[in-house]
Amino acid sequence: MTATDTLPDFNLLSREIERCGWRPADPPPLDGDLFFQSAGGGIHTPARVFASERGERLAVIDLTALQFPPREELFARFIDFPMEVRLALAAASRLAACNLVLLIQAGVFELYSLPAESRAYRATNPREFEDEMLPALAARTIHRGDALSAVPNWLDAAETLGGWLAHWGRRLADALGEESEDCRRWVWKIILMLQAGRATGDGELGGGWGLACERLGPAWSLSYDSLGTHEDLGRRLEEFEQTFSSRIFSGDADSDRSRLARLEETSLVEQLRAELLMQSRLRFEPDCVAWLFASMEREQEGWRREVSGLAPLRRRFAADGWGVLAPLECDVASHGLAALLRDLDRLAQYWTEFDALGARRESRSAKEIYSQPDLFRGNPRGVSPAGRLDDPVNFMLSESVRVAGAAAEDRFGVGIVILLKSLGLVRRLDWPFFGIDSLDSVWKR
């Protein structure tokens, strides 16, 4: 590409991407227009989807026709991007199953990695585009994408998320006449319900969060409707007890309805939901949220323990088939929350492989696998009578892991991290999800 003073337009950019090894997706899931609807009318924006030989997909969406607020305004409100960017990212993920999204804005190219929605590259001039973004796109067609991704700065992301939560805790406390800490915990309920939808594949697009997508002739129409916010959040909060049942959450459906009713005359609930959607998913990853409740000293001790040589998982807990004789113990007071998250990953992998081994045994003849059933001890919670893992999250939390060192005042934060990690395992391992009601079992007595 010949160096110029400006970034390439949509058509020239598409040709450059093809030169990097990407090819137009066939069939094209988003080619044509995206129609962004707003109160002032609608705007058509071009979009195109490319695929690599490795099966990854890249969406290129031109948003130059849209007017965005200054980045300083977004920064002041602790949010990542405008609502139109949320719509574009949701469309690329839901409609085209993309791994990358390149957004074209006025004088700026931004490359996002899905599903975390982390911004991998930002180009504001031709040199940054040619020297950084294009080589990264070319390398993505050859190497694994996760090997090229930068390690997120969890501390910075957690600091911004903490600022946003504190900001809303104060605003809601002033409006409701309650303690800001109680209001922050209420916001966490809403966050968890959004994350539960994302983990199970429903997401926020068409899932009762105000975002809508429908086919409109040759284009996809994208819109956000704030009018049903109170009703939508009311339903989500009513579902909370069935989805996340634990003593760490104060209040019930009646108190949640009372809060919403007292806020109905204000615009706070509409603003809260909109800003929640304008956060990147990266901020709600357990590795990020853990830093809201972590101690640097404990995290460093956990890391030193890890690099000095940790005993294999099979030597740290005992199990006889599905029966756990000695659960895996994680001491958050000594080794921090990151060590807990790593152990949950190991434990989830162990039970996934054990369940897969059972599936292979089922494929043999009945004569080969026949054994005398134990009539005095049934299968534990989350394991079917056939000996298959049918509720992995509740089995893991209720039977095979215990958390030590979590004082009563720390259990809310540790519990939030465990719930978010569990949702992440559901998404990553494609586990069935029936809600989580076993969190209270993890605390070591």
Side-chain angles (χ1 to χ4, degrees):
M1 185 179 77
T2 303
T4 64
D5 293 333
T6 60
L7 292 165
D9 60 18
F10 181 79
N11 292 325
L12 179 56
L13 173 62
S14 298
R15 290 196 293 270
E16 290 294 326
I17 289 174
E18 289 191 49
R19 287 179 56 190
C20 290
W22 297 82
R23 295 292 177 262
D26 186 26
L30 280 183
D31 276 20
D33 284 351
L34 292 178
F35 183 65
F36 287 84
Q37 296 189 47
S38 62
I43 296 177
H44 288 271
T45 64
R48 192 168 297 166
V49 176
F50 299 86
S52 71
E53 292 184 358
R54 297 178 54 255
E56 292 191 316
R57 286 189 169 188
L58 163 68
V60 181
I61 303 175
D62 189 347
L63 303 179
T64 53
L66 301 174
Q67 297 294 323
F68 293 127
R71 294 187 63 85
E72 294 77 14
E73 181 181 332
L74 299 177
F75 180 79
R77 293 159 60 194
F78 301 100
I79 56 181
D80 281 314
F81 39 65
M83 185 60 72
E84 291 83 358
V85 171
R86 159 59 59 216
L87 286 165
L89 294 175
S93 176
R94 184 73 176 270
L95 302 178
C98 289
N99 309 91
L100 295 170
V101 183
L102 178 54
L103 300 181
I104 306 174
Q105 303 174 44
V108 178
F109 287 178
E110 292 185 327
L111 181 65
Y112 288 88
S113 178
L114 300 181
E117 298 172 349
S118 58
R119 193 177 67 194
Y121 292 93
R122 186 172 190 265
T124 59
N125 57 66
R127 181 174 296 277
E128 291 176 341
F129 173 70
E130 296 171 8
D131 294 348
E132 298 177 17
M133 189 173 291
L134 279 182
L137 288 173
R140 188 76 180 233
T141 65
I142 303 172
H143 304 286
R144 288 185 57 190
D146 54 1
L148 299 172
S149 301
V151 177
N153 191 326
W154 299 120
L155 279 171
D156 284 352
E159 184 178 2
T160 307
L161 176 60
W164 183 77
L165 289 167
H167 166 71
W168 274 102
R170 289 190 296 268
R171 292 189 70 182
L172 292 172
D174 290 341
L176 294 170
E178 300 181 9
E179 295 293 329
S180 60
E181 179 61 25
D182 293 334
C183 293
R184 280 200 298 272
R185 295 191 176 203
W186 187 63
V187 174
W188 272 114
K189 283 188 171 185
I190 301 173
I191 292 172
L192 283 171
M193 291 306 295
L194 174 59
Q195 297 306 109
R198 288 170 167 172
T200 54
D202 292 337
E204 61 274 25
L205 193 61
W209 295 91
L211 304 183
C213 176
E214 59 180 344
R215 196 71 179 179
L216 191 64
W220 285 98
S221 175
L222 303 174
S223 62
Y224 174 70
D225 182 12
S226 63
L227 295 179
T229 300
H230 281 263
E231 183 179 350
D232 291 340
L233 289 188
R235 283 196 298 268
R236 294 291 170 268
L237 290 168
E238 286 179 2
E239 297 168 2
F240 185 86
E241 285 297 322
Q242 288 72 45
T243 309
F244 302 101
S245 177
S246 171
R247 289 191 296 270
I248 69 170
F249 297 105
S250 59
D252 52 19
D254 290 336
S255 62
D256 292 335
R257 280 193 294 270
S258 173
R259 283 192 176 104
L260 285 175
R262 284 180 285 161
L263 293 171
E264 197 162 4
E265 299 300 320
T266 72
S267 62
L268 287 178
V269 176
E270 287 84 355
Q271 294 176 38
L272 172 62
R273 185 177 76 168
E275 291 196 7
L276 173 61
L277 294 172
M278 291 187 278
Q279 307 277 337
S280 68
R281 293 191 183 193
L282 180 75
R283 288 187 183 176
F284 299 115
E285 289 294 312
D287 300 87
C288 174
V289 174
W291 283 105
L292 293 177
F293 309 103
S295 158
M296 180 64 76
E297 182 180 353
R298 294 174 180 175
E299 301 305 318
Q300 289 176 338
E301 182 59 35
W303 178 248
R304 283 192 290 268
R305 171 175 173 259
E306 189 89 16
V307 298
S308 65
L310 192 61
L313 183 68
R314 292 173 184 267
R315 291 173 52 189
R316 298 173 55 209
F317 89 117
D320 179 14
W322 289 114
V324 178
L325 307 178
L328 177 68
E329 182 173 318
C330 305
D331 191 340
V332 294
S334 299
H335 308 127
L337 291 175
L340 169 63
L341 295 178
R342 290 191 291 268
D343 277 340
L344 290 176
D345 269 325
R346 296 183 181 106
L347 199 58
Q349 190 64 36
Y350 173 87
W351 290 120
T352 299
E353 292 174 357
F354 187 81
D355 187 50
L357 180 62
R360 290 194 293 272
R361 287 173 177 168
E362 283 184 6
S363 65
R364 301 174 186 172
S365 67
K367 182 178 180 180
E368 287 180 305
I369 65 171
Y370 177 78
S371 61
Q372 180 67 34
D374 189 340
L375 301 179
F376 299 97
R377 186 181 69 179
N379 286 328
R381 163 77 187 280
V383 178
S384 71
R388 298 301 307 280
L389 196 59
D390 59 0
D391 189 355
V393 169
N394 285 306
F395 166 75
M396 192 167 72
L397 297 184
S398 64
E399 301 290 333
S400 58
V401 65
R402 293 294 177 264
V403 177
E409 61 272 17
D410 298 328
R411 288 189 176 183
F412 179 82
V414 177
I416 289 290
V417 173
I418 293 174
L419 291 176
L420 290 173
K421 184 62 178 181
S422 300
L423 293 174
L425 293 172
V426 167
R427 180 182 69 244
R428 181 168 62 85
L429 300 173
D430 197 24
W431 278 353
F433 181 70
F434 306 102
I436 303 175
D437 59 12
S438 53
L439 177 63
D440 295 335
S441 302
V442 305
W443 314 117
K444 184 178 179 182
R445 296 174 178 81

